[in-house]
Amino acid sequence: MIISGKDLALRIKHDIAEKVKECEKKYGRVPHQVVILVGEDPASMSYVKSKGKDAEQVGFKGTTIRLPESTSEQELLDLIASLNADGGVDGILVQLPVPEHIDESKVIAAISHEKDVDGFHPLNVAALWQKNPCVNPCTPKGVIKMLEEAGVEIEGKRAVVIGRSNIVGLPMAKMLLDRNATVTVAHSRTRDLPEICRQADILVAAVGRLRFITEEMVAPGAVVIDVGVNRDPETGKLAGDVDYEHVAPKASVITPVPGGVGPMTRACLMENTLECFLSKMNRR
Ligand code: GUN
């Protein structure tokens, strides 16, 4: 079974669009999402463009602010401060990575946690790890929705997450753990990785290496979630961390790249923006 993140994302965005129409009637305006990109990294430019398109599709007001690579840390922090103070802005996202002369952790902490649609602010991270209400990071949130959509039971399963980033691996592990899976967090250099992966009922690969997950690393019937986004140098096409051709026949459920986790991440970003907007309106 192949889980199409693309189809599920479309349905989620359709539901959000309906809710946005109600927002306009009830609150007199639609959610406003601001995406900031510093520099011209081609992958980041493409991601930011997609986020803008999604915002438009669901009926948000979407603003993309593109800043030159030479933008200073202070200039970026000042911009964030002004967006935090702006009552007409509901969600703020700074596309990562930022150029090296800017301290990423300062940028993440500068965004008001109430407008942090990525769920990266330390207060949102702490809330997730303390099981308090929070903005859930988009990629793991999307993966959980895909597992639910496919009817995959998480409770009682052995999950292996390869990757320990703040954006994906760690929150993914926590969200699986909170649904009563037993979770192993591994990384690309974990000793005996193939052996550990073969124990997984649910295998989540977030390594960023083309065809890193081979057929030998997957147990028959496993659920395989591919979070990788890589460029195949031979074909020039996007491909995941999983050797899809050889792994798919072995897996019970698998996500493709492209058209898998990526579109779901963006749909969840739209959902987070709507949630931030509604929390703000209901705090008044
Ligand atoms: N860069 C890669 N993934 C992400 C993401 O989910 N959010 C932001 N802000 N930057 C990213």
Side-chain angles (χ1 to χ4, degrees):
M1 178 187 183
I2 302 165
I3 319 177
S4 167
K6 209 168 147 186
D7 292 349
L8 182 55
L10 274 175
R11 268 184 277 146
I12 290 171
K13 286 192 284 182
H14 183 266
D15 288 350
I16 295 172
E18 291 302 311
K19 289 182 183 146
V20 170
K21 285 179 199 155
E22 288 166 28
C23 289
E24 186 145 35
K25 281 189 216 147
K26 193 166 171 190
Y27 305 107
R29 71 173 182 87
V30 298
H32 181 193
Q33 173 189 285
V34 178
V35 174
I36 303 170
L37 172 63
V38 185
E40 298 192 345
D41 174 71
S44 293
M45 276 164 63
S46 148
Y47 291 142
V48 162
K49 205 169 153 189
S50 305
K51 287 169 185 175
K53 266 194 206 158
D54 285 335
E56 194 180 313
Q57 258 183 27
V58 299
F60 291 165
K61 178 177 177 188
T63 303
T64 304
I65 303 179
R66 289 203 43 199
L67 300 172
E69 179 88 18
S70 60
T71 304
S72 72
E73 182 179 281
Q74 196 54 51
E75 283 168 326
L76 180 58
L77 294 176
D78 289 346
L79 171 63
I80 293 169
S82 72
L83 295 169
N84 285 341
D86 185 338
V89 171
D90 307 294
I92 305 169
L93 178 152
V94 176
Q95 186 65 29
L96 303 177
V98 285
E100 267 180 23
H101 65 274
I102 299 176
D103 182 341
E104 184 175 291
S105 62
K106 274 195 201 168
V107 171
I108 290 171
I111 297 171
S112 158
H113 73 279
E114 287 163 348
K115 298 187 180 187
D116 167 36
V117 287
D118 267 324
F120 295 167
H121 189 282
L123 287 174
N124 275 320
V125 177
L128 175 68
W129 287 85
Q130 292 172 345
K131 289 200 210 170
N132 287 327
C134 63
V135 178
N136 280 173
C138 305
T139 299
K141 183 178 181 176
V143 170
I144 297 287
K145 280 184 193 284
M146 290 173 95
L147 292 172
E148 285 169 354
E149 170 73 9
V152 173
E153 176 123 36
I154 299 174
E155 177 155 1
K157 295 293 169 59
R158 281 167 303 188
V160 172
V161 178
I162 317 173
R164 48 186 164 171
S165 72
N166 291 331
I167 294 184
V168 181
L170 295 182
M172 184 77 255
K174 173 62 174 158
M175 288 167 80
L176 289 164
L177 194 58
D178 285 348
R179 285 158 181 80
N180 299 320
T182 300
V183 183
T184 301
V185 184
H187 51 88
S188 61
R189 278 165 290 146
T190 294
R191 195 146 51 98
D192 306 327
L193 186 62
E195 173 62 26
I196 289 166
C197 290
R198 279 195 296 273
Q199 316 257 321
D201 302 308
I202 301 170
L203 180 63
V204 182
V207 183
R209 284 208 218 155
L210 188 67
R211 288 189 277 276
F212 183 78
I213 304 296
T214 56
E215 188 189 347
E216 304 74 54
M217 296 165 84
V218 177
V223 173
V224 180
I225 306 291
D226 192 347
V227 187
V229 185
N230 314 292
R231 187 77 58 186
D232 185 334
E234 277 174 24
T235 62
K237 290 185 180 161
L238 284 185
D241 288 351
V242 175
D243 180 0
Y244 189 87
E245 187 191 341
H246 297 105
V247 170
K250 244 182 145 175
S252 61
V253 173
I254 192 163
T255 63
V257 179
V261 175
M264 283 302 294
T265 296
R266 283 164 23 215
C268 289
L269 176 67
M270 301 304 126
E271 204 177 79
N272 285 352
T273 302
L274 178 61
E275 281 173 18
C276 287
F277 171 85
L278 291 173
S279 314
K280 175 163 139 190
M281 291 304 176
N282 295 324
R283 269 197 303 274
R284 286 183 170 183

